[in-house]
Amino acid sequence: MDNKMPVPNHIAIIMDGNGRWAKKRFLPRTAGHAAGAEAFRRTANYCRSIGVKYLTVYAFSTENWKRSEEEISGIMKLMGKYLKEAITDMEKNRVRFKVFGDISRLSPELQKLCTDAQERSAQYDDVQVNFCLNYGGRDEIVRATKAFAKDVAEGKRQPEELTEQMLSGYLYSADVPDPELIIRPSGEMRTSNFLLWQSAYSEYVFLNVLWPDFQPKHLDEAIMEYNRRNRRFGGA
Ligand code: IPE
Ligand code: IPE
Ligand code: MG
């Protein structure tokens, strides 16, 4: 990558296409998810090496529970394995790890791994990885609204004082700047309930590569495309 090229501060990725990758190879879908986990590791390391400060990845959506029990348990097993390895990696690389999503629906072991990873890495602030697990953009907004309503009911807040900035503070992404760039591989061109609030002015780049095949050159390509965009934020 050309080191004069400006790099976004926050990149978000919808890690999609694992199933199709496996199907093309006559493999079970879980093999696609395992290859997807490798692609994540590779991409996270590359992002760190080029100076991306925040990386947010969509790993499992609130809608993905509609899949077969077999596929879901395969994905959850992989998450457990990945998180265990990631804790060591994160300490080595000083990466702060955050989970965006409702972990209460996960197994107690997985919940514990998530909390451990978050607690042990909270002290690092060089790079932050936000891992969206049982995450939905609408669900996130409903939760934020409920939390605000609760504060109002308890007399801590007044309805009139609510601002966009205040509502942002109730989201999983409180304290995280909005992503400048959102990448979706696999050829699908939709948000699938990812970062609905935070993506108001994000640039989307859709790539025709399946997530397990995603390489640093694809990230470079997306960043180059991002740099060609003219961001106006509603201005003239
Ligand atoms: C993304 O890959 C992983 C998850 C949604 C958990 P998919 O499993 O959606 O792969 P495709 O879209 O079927 O190829
Ligand atoms: C979005 O992909 C969710 C993740 C990548 C985790 P999906 O494969 O679930 O989205 P749809 O079903 O194609 O919209
Ligand atoms: Mg998909």
Side-chain angles (χ1 to χ4, degrees):
M1 143 132 172
D2 167 6
N3 44 23
K4 285 190 296 288
M5 185 161 77
V7 165
N9 190 45
H10 183 177
I11 297 181
I13 305 180
I14 301 174
M15 305 190 290
D16 195 19
N18 298 350
R20 279 163 281 172
W21 183 91
K23 192 168 181 208
K24 262 174 53 182
R25 287 163 178 76
F26 306 100
L27 293 169
R29 294 182 64 85
T30 321
H33 297 310
E38 278 314 310
F40 167 62
R41 204 196 303 269
R42 183 161 77 228
T43 307
N45 283 332
Y46 185 61
C47 281
R48 195 164 44 79
S49 77
I50 61 172
V52 175
K53 189 114 178 42
Y54 297 90
L55 172 66
T56 302
V57 292
Y58 205 4
F60 193 87
S61 76
T62 46
E63 287 72 37
N64 288 146
W65 297 105
K66 292 177 193 158
R67 299 189 180 196
S68 74
E69 222 171 283
E70 189 194 350
E71 179 171 359
I72 295 172
S73 75
I75 292 174
M76 294 304 159
K77 238 175 93 183
L78 272 166
M79 301 263 186
K81 180 176 169 275
Y82 169 76
L83 279 169
K84 273 188 212 136
E85 292 163 4
I87 295 180
T88 335
D89 280 0
M90 276 167 338
E91 301 203 307
K92 193 175 86 205
N93 300 322
R94 308 182 54 82
V95 174
R96 184 196 285 154
F97 182 83
K98 285 260 167 134
V99 176
F100 287 5
D102 174 16
I103 62 167
S104 71
R105 201 170 159 182
L106 310 178
S107 71
E109 299 76 45
L110 211 46
Q111 286 185 45
K112 180 154 190 319
L113 280 171
C114 289
T115 350
D116 282 357
Q118 295 195 97
E119 281 169 7
R120 285 171 63 176
S121 68
Q123 53 177 317
Y124 305 130
D125 57 5
D126 299 3
V127 187
Q128 180 167 330
V129 169
N130 306 308
F131 200 77
C132 300
L133 184 47
N134 191 19
Y135 172 88
R138 288 186 171 178
D139 180 65
E140 179 182 33
I141 294 168
V142 169
R143 276 162 197 281
T145 312
K146 274 192 193 153
F148 177 74
K150 188 164 173 279
D151 283 351
V152 170
E154 289 171 2
K156 293 184 200 147
R157 295 273 192 212
Q158 292 301 312
E160 302 71 36
E161 63 174 329
L162 185 64
T163 58
E164 293 183 4
Q165 202 188 350
M166 191 184 283
L167 190 67
S168 295
Y170 284 90
L171 301 173
Y172 293 123
S173 58
D175 307 322
V176 175
D178 290 342
E180 290 95 339
L181 168 64
I182 299 182
I183 304 170
R184 183 164 192 163
S186 94
E188 304 296 357
M189 292 193 234
R190 54 178 167 262
T191 69
S192 301
N193 206 8
F194 188 46
L195 304 180
L196 296 184
W197 174 277
Q198 300 86 342
S199 63
Y201 274 98
S202 302
E203 295 295 332
Y204 278 94
V205 172
F206 297 99
L207 296 175
N208 258 322
V209 55
L210 299 171
W211 175 247
D213 290 328
F214 196 90
Q215 298 296 335
K217 67 170 188 201
H218 297 110
L219 195 88
D220 287 350
E221 193 183 318
I223 296 175
M224 274 189 282
E225 170 62 26
Y226 166 81
N227 282 318
R228 282 193 292 268
R229 302 270 175 94
N230 178 5
R231 303 185 81 200
R232 284 184 294 276
F233 301 97

